[in-house]
Amino acid sequence: MRLVQIAQHADDLDRAAEFYTVLLERTPTAKFDPPGLLFFDLDGVRLLLDRSAPSSLMYLHVENVHETIERLDGLAEVVEKPHVIFTHDDDKLGPAGHEEWQAFVRDSEGNLVGLVSFQRP
């Protein structure tokens, strides 16, 4: 079994498209309006921005949390600045010997989004 799609609420599809294009560094895959659906491909998992979807808390892997926060300057409210959550002793939850860095931002639609990166200490 694998995850196929995750939905996130978006009131304004154009505004959401701009935000997620910058965050994900890729353009939308498809837009259907009506009924108000915008898709991005996340390496085989569809991110659906949908006017009728509830808000969800997504955690997205990024190469570097600090650089991503800089790239989103002016587009997103930083709720929690980048910080280390823990160091991976083994490969169960992430690469062994790496620190897990997380930060949290509010997207253009008011949803909380977690950003995660793995860095050597």
Side-chain angles (χ1 to χ4, degrees):
M1 187 178 304
R2 70 177 184 88
L3 181 63
V4 173
Q5 179 171 289
I6 186 165
Q8 181 69 294
H9 180 78
D11 288 319
D12 184 321
L13 295 182
D14 292 330
R15 183 177 61 203
E18 179 183 350
F19 176 83
Y20 280 95
T21 294
V22 173
L23 173 60
L24 302 173
E25 298 184 291
R26 62 185 74 185
T27 58
T29 307
K31 182 178 180 182
F32 302 97
D33 197 16
L37 309 173
L38 177 69
F39 291 89
F40 284 87
D41 177 39
L42 303 180
D43 297 328
V45 176
R46 295 183 306 217
L47 170 58
L48 166 60
L49 298 163
D50 180 350
R51 287 192 185 110
S52 63
S55 181
S56 62
L57 175 53
M58 294 187 302
Y59 289 78
L60 299 173
H61 176 257
V62 297
E63 286 301 313
N64 185 300
V65 172
H66 297 89
E67 291 173 3
T68 302
I69 292 290
E70 287 177 23
R71 193 171 65 248
L72 294 174
D73 187 37
L75 286 177
E77 169 197 355
V78 177
V79 176
E80 281 190 44
K81 294 180 180 179
H83 58 284
V84 175
I85 299 296
F86 54 84
T87 301
H88 295 272
D89 294 329
D90 54 36
D91 291 325
K92 289 180 186 173
L93 296 175
H98 287 72
E99 294 174 334
E100 182 162 324
W101 283 79
Q102 292 186 7
F104 293 87
V105 299
R106 290 231 179 260
D107 72 8
S108 62
E109 308 308 295
N111 302 300
L112 191 62
V113 177
L115 306 173
V116 179
S117 66
F118 304 102
Q119 298 173 336
R120 290 214 176 264

